[in-house]
Amino acid sequence: MKFETLSVHAGRDVERATGAVAPPIQLSTTYERDIDGEWSRGFSYSRADNPGRRPLEECIAALEGGEDATTYGSGSAASMAVFSLLRPGEHVIAPIESYHGTAKQLRDILTPMGVTHTFVDMTRVDAVRDALRKETRLVWIETPSNPMLNISDIETIAELAHGRGAMVCCDNTFATPVWQRPLELGADLVMHSSTKYFGGHSDVMGGAVVTRDRGGLSDKLRDYQQTVGSVPSPFDCWLIRRSLTTLSCRVRAQTHNASRIAGFLQSHKNVERVFYPGLDTHPGHAIAQRQMKGGFGAMLSFNVRGGRDAAFAVAAKMQLFIRATSLGGVESLVEHRASVEGPHTVTPQNLLRLSVGLESAEDLIADLDQALG
């Protein structure tokens, strides 16, 4: 089945008992045992599994082209699930420009547990090659990156990592499987913050990790999920599964808007630089064309001429772009990313990040024009 068909039908069947087309929400935390003590109906306790989470995981796995997926209460919980696969003495390679929450987990949680890490410029394959050690167990890729939309060559990095016995996880939150499928490019795991495009309406939190195969990594992740218990609620699962039915439509429309906005900003006199892989001036444009099939996503950033204060002034004048953290919702957001990331930030102080929504592109461009003017 094609992507759009999978997003509607994968894990979403008509309910047998009533014929309901829309899936019900099953809120029960516990389920009746059989007389012999077994659970022949498939469910025992909501932390282990529930009728709403299973269809969500089936759908996410299908959309990414994987065999299995585990879901969590947030994107941060999903990245920690991947890091749970590591053991003391092992080593992680991650981008210098990682999502700040991921970098914080590596610094503040993994390091005291004996797992070391190296942050590298992952746009440079030779930097990844030089950072590989015999202890390297995981190479973490984030492409396009947050917030400067840097592009990493998934296929080449995966070949390098596998040649040294390391596994590869790609944070695919920005691109979504609409535009990019890292498993097809050699990644072993794909991570998502489902709060973003999967949820799509700024009203639910979640995370997911997709595996290429069942067994092995899949079994370890499911054991971690059930043991740690950082799982999404039944209602969260229902909201995200409902939103996945429109994922392709939303992301394609948002990407169209972002592309137009990037072109407008590139020619504006008060903009120093635009970060969007769809522009042919972007240093990673050729790689993005190869591994992002048909579109470049709805996230972009730009440097405001005049420095940090000028960037804050522009954001303050915007009327349609809401000053708020997060991304991927139907409404457009603007954020001064460096002030969110704190002392470890590598983001320019005059950079504003845009999450482009579903409003009219003409209206959004007009809003940016008056704010920059």
Side-chain angles (χ1 to χ4, degrees):
M1 290 186 284
K2 300 296 185 182
F3 187 93
E4 292 78 8
T5 307
L6 284 171
S7 68
V8 174
H9 291 284
R12 188 172 181 266
D13 299 321
V14 173
E15 201 209 358
R16 294 179 182 177
T18 65
V21 174
I25 304 173
Q26 178 54 262
L27 296 176
S28 182
T29 59
T30 191
Y31 298 83
E32 184 184 42
R33 286 177 181 250
D34 300 333
I35 294 174
D36 61 3
E38 297 299 317
W39 288 281
S40 63
R41 286 165 283 188
F43 301 98
S44 61
Y45 191 63
S46 190
R47 172 169 49 80
D49 199 1
N50 69 65
R53 193 164 80 228
R54 187 176 295 179
L56 173 63
E57 292 176 342
E58 290 176 4
C59 182
I60 291 174
L63 295 180
E64 278 289 2
E67 287 295 320
D68 196 18
T70 47
T71 52
Y72 305 88
S74 69
S76 294
S79 56
M80 275 304 302
V82 176
F83 294 148
S84 76
L85 299 170
L86 303 170
R87 296 295 177 263
E90 294 182 334
H91 174 246
V92 181
I93 297 174
I96 292 174
E97 193 208 354
S98 298
Y99 165 61
H100 78 106
T102 304
K104 182 174 174 60
Q105 288 178 348
L106 289 170
R107 285 193 305 264
D108 297 351
I109 299 178
L110 273 294
T111 297
M113 296 172 62
V115 176
T116 60
H117 63 272
T118 303
F119 293 121
V120 303
D121 178 359
M122 208 157 282
T123 64
R124 296 175 48 236
V125 173
D126 59 336
V128 179
R129 182 185 294 109
D130 292 344
L132 284 165
R133 311 174 188 168
K134 64 180 181 180
E135 302 87 10
T136 304
R137 167 69 170 146
L138 171 67
V139 177
W140 183 276
I141 300 174
E142 183 182 316
T143 183
S145 65
N146 182 6
M148 289 188 282
L149 287 298
N150 284 315
I151 300 297
S152 301
D153 188 331
I154 299 171
E155 188 170 21
T156 302
I157 292 173
E159 288 177 1
L160 280 175
H162 293 158
R164 299 292 290 272
M167 60 184 169
V168 174
C169 180
C170 181
D171 182 340
N172 202 33
T173 300
F174 269 28
T176 80
V178 175
W179 298 133
Q180 182 171 270
R181 307 233 294 189
L183 295 178
E184 296 176 357
L185 298 167
D188 304 289
L189 303 165
V190 179
M191 173 265 173
H192 281 275
S193 173
S194 309
T195 311
K196 312 307 192 293
Y197 289 101
F198 283 5
H201 295 78
S202 303
D203 57 7
V204 59
M205 294 192 73
V209 180
V210 184
T211 58
R212 178 190 307 281
D213 304 306
R214 293 186 182 274
L217 295 177
S218 173
D219 289 346
K220 291 178 181 178
L221 287 167
R222 193 155 303 280
D223 182 63
Y224 173 88
Q225 177 198 48
Q226 296 177 11
T227 303
V228 174
S230 56
V231 294
S233 73
F235 186 46
D236 291 346
C237 292
W238 187 88
L239 283 171
I240 296 169
R241 180 62 191 88
R242 182 189 66 168
S243 294
L244 285 174
T245 60
T246 61
L247 176 66
S248 179
C249 302
R250 287 184 284 106
V251 169
R252 290 177 185 279
Q254 289 166 297
T255 298
H256 171 76
N257 283 352
S259 179
R260 292 191 58 186
I261 289 169
F264 163 76
L265 290 172
Q266 190 176 38
S267 62
H268 200 286
K269 64 179 182 179
N270 289 330
V271 173
E272 289 181 349
R273 181 180 175 186
V274 180
F275 302 86
Y276 185 66
L279 296 173
D280 57 14
T281 54
H282 189 288
H285 178 67
I287 297 173
Q289 278 187 310
R290 185 171 72 246
Q291 68 186 21
M292 299 180 74
K293 305 297 185 182
F296 302 96
M299 297 298 300
L300 64 100
S301 298
F302 64 99
N303 290 345
V304 178
R305 195 174 302 280
R308 185 179 191 273
D309 291 344
F312 269 97
V314 169
K317 290 173 66 178
M318 292 184 189
Q319 298 173 0
L320 294 179
F321 286 87
I322 302 168
R323 296 184 302 277
T325 293
S326 200
L327 56 103
V330 295
E331 63 287 303
S332 294
L333 305 179
V334 60
E335 184 172 51
H336 182 262
R337 195 67 194 159
S339 61
V340 173
E341 294 174 339
H344 294 285
T345 185
V346 295
T347 301
Q349 291 293 326
N350 64 338
L351 181 141
L352 294 177
R353 188 190 76 180
L354 302 181
S355 171
V356 180
L358 289 174
E359 303 93 338
S360 160
E362 287 80 5
D363 289 340
L364 294 174
I365 289 171
D367 190 30
L368 288 165
D369 195 22
Q370 65 82 22
L372 285 162

